[in-house]
Amino acid sequence: QLKEEGNKYFQASDYEKAVQSYTQAIKLNKDKALQAVLYRNRAACFLKKEEYAKAASDASRAIDINASDIKALYRRSQALEKLGKLDQAFKDAQKCATIEPRNKNFQETLRRLGADIQEKLRIQFSTDLRVQKMFEILLDENSEKEKREKAANNLIVLGREEAGAERIFQNNGVNLLLQLIETKNAELILAAVRTLSGMCTGHKARATAILHYLGIDNICMWMSVDNEEISLAVCNLLQAITDCLLGQGKEEHHGKEEAVVLDTKKDLRMITMRLLDMLVSKKVSGQGRDRALNLLNKNIPRKDLKDHDNSRTIFVIDNGLKKILKVAGQIPEMPDCLPLTENTQLTASVLLNKLYDDLRCDPERDNYRVICEEYIKSKIDPQDMDKTLHAIQMVSGVLQGPFDLGNKLLGMKGVMEMMVALCGSEREIDQLVAVEALIHASTKLSRATFIISNGVALLKEIYKKTKNEKIKIRALVVRMSAPGRLTRGTDYGLRQFAEGSTEKLAKQCRKWLCNTSIDARTRKWAVEGLAYLTFDADVKDDFVEDQLALQAMFELAKTSDKTILYSVASALVNCTNSYDTKELVPELVQLAKFSKQHVPEEHPKDKKDFVVKRVKRLLKAGVVSALACMVKADSAILTDQSKELIARVFLALCEDPKDRGTIVAQGGGKALIPLAVEGTEVGKIKASHALAKIAAISNPDMAFPGERVYEVVRPLVSRLNTERDGLQNYEALLGLTNFAGRSDKLRMKIVKERALPDIENYMFENHDQLRQAATECMCNLVVNKEVADGNDRLKLVVLLCGEDDEKVQVAAAGALAMLTAAQKKLCSKMTEVTTQWLEILQRLCLHDNMEVQHRGLVIVFNLISADKELAKRLVETELLEILTYIGKQEDDP
């Protein structure tokens, strides 16, 4: 019975249910002959479902019972052919042809498989020869340069193809590639490493074999060289191996191969340990250290916090946290410093942050903190200032990573006092480290108060006396940042502290910023200084006029530095006046004047005309490209606060509709989407509002190409909220109207985001523009069948056709015209929703506005075409007279 049921399902092409029936039958059956038939039939189902390994397995079971089962043999042949096992498929087809020599189907299959096998052998032989030839050319020192380059490129391409990679691997290729690496020729090393990367990608077994053959020590040694291209290529090779070991490859297994499970934990731990060892080795170049940090950043913390296994992070903290801290505590100006690049220490801070964020509970965080505290305490030695300097530098590094932990470390006994004391040292290196540490420490209000109380006099002294630009700029930033925490938002407080011209200080910061001979690490503090100084309206006006300074700032913003991103975003918020301002109550202003209190007044250069000019200058300088680049930064660098500041700037840039095309062209639309989805609540609101402004007037296909357009719908719908101001509601409705006019898929997305009730609510608004925008949006949405269904919605549209507002009438009549054209049943329904329907229709047909009249006539035409009885009813009314009258008028195209 189950067998017959399975046969019926198979004939009806319901292969899933057929498999279920045959499987149940196999479990119940004891008869061997019937068992063979059931397996054979299930194999046919698996062939149809393209599950070829299962089809081959079932066919084999049927053949085990009956070796001459011709159907089972042919089905196994078909499955094996699809699995690429042509020689085995040929043997099965041959048996079939032997049993039934006159069967043309079997003869044709044999011919085809024979030709395929010959072609495969030809390609294989050809590939073997090509591989051999390439290695001969590359290993021959007398080969022409052009020939060697061509052979190297061909080898890389072959390594990326599955067939080519396997032939290289089988023909002693890994050993030959190792010989290429040992030539010490940079071009040959690159070719060999890139070929190995291709061979490892997506193939766990091959990647594991290559890792063991080459040895992790050799791979790390090659990555340590002071050659950016080679170091990066080896880093990519190690990433390809790691991806395979973590099970992120694209390899597909068939049949029995699925049973081969490689235990990769040991190899992964070995790789992690070697990378941690690289961090503190003096033999490793700055490039190599950066690569090791990047690999740890990418592969150790969990990709998804829903995954409960953070054992790799715990392993690194237990075995390598001190090594990462040592890198963060390096001082480039000291003779014993490890080789570093400009990004090394910041990358170490990012890793510290990612590891801390990946911890799941307080005991794990406490363990992390204790390791840091104990290591830093071991370095603080009043008798050895060099050791103490490293400890202070480590605290700086942690403050740029896990900020909360950094603040706890600042609370350790004597740390803040030691920073201030070092400022009074005669050694420049002491001053440099201490002043930079104070900058990071001043980000917390309580620390800022401590610095103002204990260190301001020393900082002023340093600024006046030192000739070292690196110290000078840092001292200036601390002088501004500490009181900036207390007076932020008022240029009055900053002027008081600056004790003179803020414009003069800003000019000096701009000089440092544009001076490319100063290292990027120092120039970033010039941006930090400008972030504070641009509270002054005169400073921000001068700054946007200085195109060189703007370009230098935008260029720095592309580096992976949390401080730079925040500072650039802060300066741009100040320049565009996109910060929140408190409205001054006139009575309180008078009261303050009477009591001789300082009353902050709006600077003339903070008025709208000046702000607009500054925005235009920033757009001309390419601010959108810089912001788009900043948005792509790693989440550990681009904090929620920075995201909010960037969203504020974007909203200010979108104010003028004429500029929105430029913003879209430079990638602004794409950059705003993640800002509208993640970050602070204020940041998401600002980004969504900016998206609404762009969506309201732009072609969605241009502004948000591809699938990205669907991501914009939710932020727009979130603006339809009575807590938002009317402008946000209005622009969001315009954006949704624009989207609803593009495609039914977009209309469905708007419906799924539950926007319909909000849009309908706005159709009853007292505000004319909001009511009009909501009606226009509904006009575009009703083309969707799901939206069109429902008497209430139809009644609302009919009643809105009778409104006095012409724009509302145009939208509502358009909606009704499309509805009645799309669904004939709605033509009859329209006459039932309200007793005023005929009067409203007559008014539309006699309207002075041609657009409204045209829509009215289309509705009448739809009603007459839909139903004979309805047509009779209409002809018996005054509508016939109206139509006759309009028909006699002069035609209007």
Side-chain angles (χ1 to χ4, degrees), residues 452 456 460 476 479-480 482-484 486-503 505 532-533 535-536 596-600:
I452 289 169
V456 166
K460 286 179 183 174
L476 178 66
R479 280 179 61 198
M480 288 185 291
L486 310 177
T487 63
R488 195 148 196 155
T490 64
D491 59 4
Y492 171 76
L494 204 54
R495 280 176 182 278
Q496 290 285 90
F497 183 77
E499 295 175 351
S501 167
T502 47
E503 293 99 295
L505 291 176
Y532 290 102
L533 289 165
F535 274 114
D536 188 326
K596 295 184 179 176
Q597 297 269 335
H598 169 73
V599 180

Side-chain angles (χ1 to χ4, degrees), residues 845 853 857 879-892:
C845 292
Q853 189 183 42
L857 294 168
L879 254 177
L880 183 58
E881 200 177 327
I882 293 168
L883 293 172
T884 309
Y885 165 73
I886 297 167
K888 288 178 180 174
Q889 286 186 329
E890 192 178 333
D891 189 36
D892 186 303

Side-chain angles (χ1 to χ4, degrees), residues 32 87 150 209 410 465 485 525 532 540 666 676 694 796:
K32 284 230 167 191
D87 51 340
K150 193 175 179 183
L410 283 175
K465 284 186 178 179
R485 300 293 160 198
W525 299 118
Y532 290 102
K540 63 180 101 171
Q666 293 179 7
I694 289 172
L796 180 60

Side-chain angles (χ1 to χ4, degrees), residues 655-722:
E655 196 59 43
D656 187 346
K658 291 175 188 171
D659 296 329
R660 292 173 200 169
T662 306
I663 292 165
V664 167
Q666 293 179 7
K670 179 183 172 184
L672 275 164
I673 296 170
L675 296 176
V677 176
E678 297 169 356
T680 65
E681 200 54 40
V682 173
K684 289 192 282 189
I685 289 168
K686 301 283 181 190
S688 299
H689 192 184
L691 275 175
K693 284 180 179 287
I694 289 172
I697 63 163
S698 306
N699 178 343
D701 299 333
M702 299 286 284
F704 315 104
E707 296 295 304
R708 204 169 282 125
V709 70
Y710 301 103
E711 296 173 44
V712 184
V713 174
R714 184 172 293 174
L716 293 186
V717 173
S718 72
R719 298 305 88 221
L720 303 181
N721 189 316
T722 48

Side-chain angles (χ1 to χ4, degrees), residues 122-176:
R122 187 188 66 75
I123 292 167
Q124 193 169 305
F125 185 66
S126 161
T127 305
D128 288 350
L129 278 177
R130 281 164 67 202
V131 169
Q132 196 179 337
K133 188 77 176 165
M134 279 176 234
F135 278 119
E136 282 173 10
I137 294 167
L138 290 168
L139 291 167
D140 182 2
E141 291 178 9
N142 301 317
S143 296
E144 293 172 22
K145 190 185 176 188
E146 200 173 312
K147 268 190 174 182
R148 286 179 98 173
E149 281 178 7
K150 193 175 179 183
N153 288 330
N154 287 343
L155 198 61
I156 294 165
V157 172
L158 263 180
R160 288 173 185 161
E161 295 168 1
E162 177 52 35
E166 195 55 34
R167 297 321 302 160
I168 295 170
F169 187 75
Q170 297 291 350
N171 292 333
N172 194 33
V174 180
N175 182 37
L176 293 169

Side-chain angles (χ1 to χ4, degrees), residues 858-871:
V858 170
I859 296 165
V860 175
F861 175 79
N862 292 340
L863 297 183
I864 291 171
S865 308
D867 183 71
K868 190 176 179 181
E869 288 303 315
L870 187 53

Side-chain angles (χ1 to χ4, degrees), residues 255-320:
K256 292 177 184 176
E257 291 170 24
E258 288 179 334
V260 180
V261 179
L262 299 168
D263 184 15
T264 60
K265 285 182 183 175
K266 194 177 174 184
D267 287 334
L268 284 166
R269 289 203 163 188
M270 178 178 68
I271 292 169
T272 304
M273 283 304 297
R274 293 298 179 276
L275 291 174
L276 290 169
D277 290 341
M278 281 180 72
L279 299 184
V280 290
S281 169
K282 284 202 169 183
K283 293 177 183 176
V284 176
S285 68
Q287 297 285 352
R289 210 174 312 282
D290 281 4
R291 304 293 173 222
L293 284 165
N294 284 329
L295 284 167
L296 289 166
N297 260 319
K298 190 172 181 185
N299 299 301
I300 300 304
R302 289 169 292 171
K303 301 281 185 296
D304 186 355
L305 294 178
K306 289 174 186 172
D307 174 14
H308 293 294
D309 181 19
N310 69 340
S311 56
R312 291 201 300 276
T313 294
I314 300 296
F315 179 78
V316 168
I317 289 169
D318 290 340
N319 294 278

Side-chain angles (χ1 to χ4, degrees), residues 107-124:
Q107 296 297 335
E108 179 55 39
T109 303
L110 272 177
R111 271 196 296 275
R112 190 184 71 250
L113 285 170
D116 288 348
I117 288 167
Q118 289 301 315
E119 179 62 16
K120 190 178 179 182
L121 287 169
R122 187 188 66 75
I123 292 167
Q124 193 169 305

